[in-house]
Amino acid sequence: MRPLIRSACRLRARVRAMATLPAAAAFSPSSASAAARPPRLPLARLFLPSAPPAAARGARSLRTSAAAAAAAAVEVGGVKIAREDVVKEEDPTNNVPDPIYSKIGLQLHRSGNHPLGILKNTIYDYFDKNFSGKFNKFDDLCPLVSVKQNFDDVLVPADHVSRSYNDTYYVDAQTVLRCHTSAHQAELLRDGHTHFLVTGDVYRRDSIDSTHYPVFHQMEGFRVFSPDDWSDSGMDGTAYAAADLKKTLEGLARHLFGAVEMRWVDTYFPFTNPSFELEIYFQDDWLEVLGCGVTEQEILKSNGRTDHVAWAFGLGLERLSMVLFDIPDIRLFWSNDQRFTSQFSEGKLGVKFKPFSKFPPCYKDMSFWINEEFTENNLCEVVRGIAGDLVEEVKLIDNFTNKKGMTSHCYRIAYRSMERSLTDEEINDMQWNVREEVKNKLKVELR
Ligand code: FA5
Ligand code: MG
């Protein structure tokens, strides 16, 4: 919806022009139960893009392509976003590296032949069929949003861990790369929408493994009920909305998967109560595919819907696609390799992906004494900055504290290309660079 896109991006322009206020910090509802940490401004400085290391051929080519992508401005919803709008090397409140900027504007969910586009359209079909076209659809809203949109408007407390620099990409103290599509709820409500779906790329500093990637895609669903809707049901508004939400999402799961093992798990989000997650059994484990719940009254009240109730959900599109298409690794969604892209086409849901390469992973371990500032997300950002998509997993395999109170971590890094075999030399180069940057940027003592 054009006016909304414009207003989000105009807001961005405005906050850029304003004097920088003290930093707030990012959202990751899954870490909601973790102890709240204060924003850590200095960490942002650790992730300024640095000159490419001398060695590391693989790393060099990745950086070059990120830099090339970074050179041209991209367009989202008619708004141009240039590298300097997002990567600000001199701004201590900015922690966006080039590889993240290079993903903006790619909008994989808008390509009809991409698994994410196929999935989005299939979900659209379900809502069109069951709600006779009532849901308004948005898939081109600007991913640069204000801290207010991303956090305040959905009641994320000021000291919530999700606001930290460790979890969210900050463009400046008042602007973030949205870390969930819930960032658009309030504005769409204010614009008068009562049924809507918002699909978009979202950004999070996170761990590295086959189901986590720092850029992924979500679809937000939102439905408002008025008292007339539930008055004859014998339920109160909240119970009515919760029942309708579960019925709607179970119906969607059946529409997508047919029979599949799934379960509801109670959880917490600042913006819904009660809150739930849906998990699906995949590759011998339960995989969380969505979060949802009954919208907090305050959000409805603040946005012109007093006395109404609503439900909301946020689907992880990669996670659902992995189950539907048997895609084993989340990095594959970004592959331009014909052997990947040619396997998917419009309208063909559930075609099973045939792996085209089975190159073995190469494991490298590194141990170091951590310091107070150390976080795994910072480590992952360093590793990804060097190895790009050649890193498959970063896993803590040993952790102990000695008599002097020093804590040692040992991480196992798995390197693997989806497309080719890696040479020993390039893996060793990458690992050498990782060790150097971990030592220099994270200020830890290698063992
Ligand atoms: C949220 O982002 C909430 N905004 C969802 C929501 C919306 C709840 C409306 C209530 C009402 P969460 O952080 O759990 O919640 O993310 C939602 C989904 O995104 C997850 O279930 C998962 O499928 C997916 N997801 C989360 N982190 C990643 C990641 N790093 N890589 C890929 N998918 C992810
Ligand atoms: Mg979650």
Side-chain angles (χ1 to χ4, degrees):
M1 191 193 55
R2 281 297 152 86
L4 181 81
I5 302 157
R6 294 240 168 79
S7 66
C9 289
R10 258 205 312 271
L11 174 64
R12 179 171 57 81
R14 253 198 337 261
V15 294
R16 251 191 292 139
M18 281 158 58
T20 319
L21 295 174
F27 181 86
S28 152
S30 52
S31 51
S33 54
R37 272 172 278 157
R40 297 200 213 176
L41 183 63
L43 287 185
R45 304 313 319 145
L46 296 174
F47 299 102
L48 294 181
S50 56
R57 230 166 290 118
R60 224 174 6 237
S61 62
L62 281 159
R63 280 163 186 252
T64 315
S65 57
V74 292
E75 203 171 306
V76 181
V79 177
K80 282 214 162 68
I81 304 173
R83 177 180 180 268
E84 62 266 25
D85 293 333
V86 181
V87 182
K88 302 176 181 197
E89 295 166 29
E90 303 309 321
D91 183 347
T93 64
N94 180 286
N95 65 350
V96 185
D98 269 313
I100 293 297
Y101 169 65
S102 70
K103 297 287 196 284
I104 297 176
L106 295 183
Q107 297 193 308
L108 302 179
H109 59 283
R110 300 185 81 211
S111 156
N113 290 323
H114 190 279
L116 298 178
I118 300 167
L119 172 60
K120 182 194 77 175
N121 288 328
T122 311
I123 300 174
Y124 281 181
D125 290 345
Y126 170 79
F127 280 94
D128 284 344
K129 217 159 66 199
N130 289 281
F131 299 92
S132 51
K134 258 184 148 175
F135 276 80
N136 296 125
K137 306 177 189 85
F138 305 89
D139 72 351
D140 197 21
L141 303 182
C142 186
L144 285 157
V145 299
S146 64
V147 166
K148 178 176 178 296
Q149 289 171 295
N150 202 66
F151 298 120
D152 303 336
D153 284 354
V154 284
L155 313 178
V156 177
D159 62 351
H160 194 276
V161 60
S162 63
R163 293 183 182 243
S164 78
Y165 271 83
N166 189 52
D167 287 32
T168 288
Y169 290 107
Y170 277 76
V171 170
D172 57 39
Q174 294 95 16
T175 316
V176 296
L177 291 174
R178 68 181 163 214
C179 56
H180 56 165
T181 42
S182 304
H184 300 289
Q185 282 186 8
E187 216 158 345
L188 288 169
L189 269 173
R190 280 200 298 280
D191 283 353
H193 296 286
T194 57
H195 296 66
F196 54 86
L197 300 171
V198 179
T199 312
D201 35 325
V202 300
Y203 299 77
R204 290 186 195 177
R205 299 182 82 240
D206 213 332
S207 48
I208 298 180
D209 63 31
S210 62
T211 59
H212 289 82
Y213 200 81
V215 188
F216 61 100
H217 296 75
Q218 286 189 340
M219 184 190 286
E220 193 85 2
F222 203 97
R223 179 179 185 188
V224 179
F225 298 91
S226 58
D228 284 351
D229 293 321
W230 71 82
S231 57
D232 294 338
S233 70
M235 289 186 247
D236 64 26
T238 302
Y240 183 83
D244 188 81
L245 171 66
K246 286 190 168 176
K247 192 180 78 186
T248 303
L249 290 172
E250 283 168 11
L252 174 62
R254 273 193 306 275
H255 177 74
L256 296 176
F257 296 104
V260 71
E261 236 188 304
M262 55 179 146
R263 67 179 186 191
W264 287 106
V265 180
D266 289 333
T267 190
Y268 162 82
F269 295 107
F271 27 90
T272 49
N273 188 17
S275 305
F276 316 100
E277 281 171 344
L278 184 65
E279 296 185 345
I280 291 184
Y281 202 66
F282 176 60
Q283 288 181 349
D284 303 326
D285 207 354
W286 289 103
L287 180 67
E288 178 204 321
V289 295
L290 67 89
C292 65
V294 178
T295 300
E296 284 287 359
Q297 274 300 308
E298 195 181 329
I299 297 177
L300 293 168
K301 241 191 263 166
S302 309
N303 297 289
R305 292 284 166 188
T306 308
D307 298 331
H308 289 61
V309 298
W311 56 238
F313 64 76
L315 307 171
L317 292 186
E318 275 83 352
R319 299 274 180 91
L320 287 168
S321 295
M322 289 174 84
V323 182
L324 278 167
F325 295 96
D326 256 351
I327 295 175
D329 192 300
I330 198 163
R331 291 173 296 164
L332 278 162
F333 290 97
W334 301 94
S335 174
N336 287 321
D337 192 312
Q338 277 266 315
R339 292 168 296 176
F340 176 76
T341 55
S342 65
Q343 293 195 32
F344 307 99
S345 49
E346 197 148 359
K348 295 223 172 98
L349 187 77
V351 170
K352 295 303 174 201
F353 171 66
K354 289 186 206 67
F356 48 83
S357 76
K358 286 213 178 78
F359 299 107
C362 174
Y363 298 103
K364 295 281 175 191
D365 293 352
M366 67 184 299
S367 302
F368 46 83
W369 299 109
I370 62 164
N371 55 31
E372 280 222 319
E373 294 290 292
F374 176 80
T375 71
E376 200 168 300
N377 285 356
N378 289 344
L379 172 69
C380 289
E381 187 98 326
V382 168
V383 179
R384 216 176 299 259
I386 305 270
D389 282 358
L390 299 182
V391 56
E392 176 169 285
E393 188 171 33
V394 175
K395 191 174 175 184
L396 181 67
I397 56 167
D398 190 38
N399 176 4
F400 72 88
T401 303
N402 71 8
K403 284 188 191 140
K404 290 187 201 157
M406 293 163 74
T407 299
S408 165
H409 282 184
C410 179
Y411 284 91
R412 176 157 294 165
I413 304 178
Y415 295 100
R416 181 188 347 217
S417 166
M418 302 265 108
E419 289 146 14
R420 63 191 178 85
S421 63
L422 301 173
T423 64
D424 283 348
E425 200 194 345
E426 69 183 312
I427 291 166
N428 289 337
D429 274 356
M430 280 191 288
Q431 181 66 7
W432 189 86
N433 279 285
V434 165
R435 289 177 65 86
E436 283 300 295
E437 285 208 17
V438 164
K439 185 174 70 188
N440 297 334
K441 290 190 169 178
L442 304 185
K443 310 272 184 259
V444 297
E445 192 186 325
L446 298 183
R447 300 183 54 220

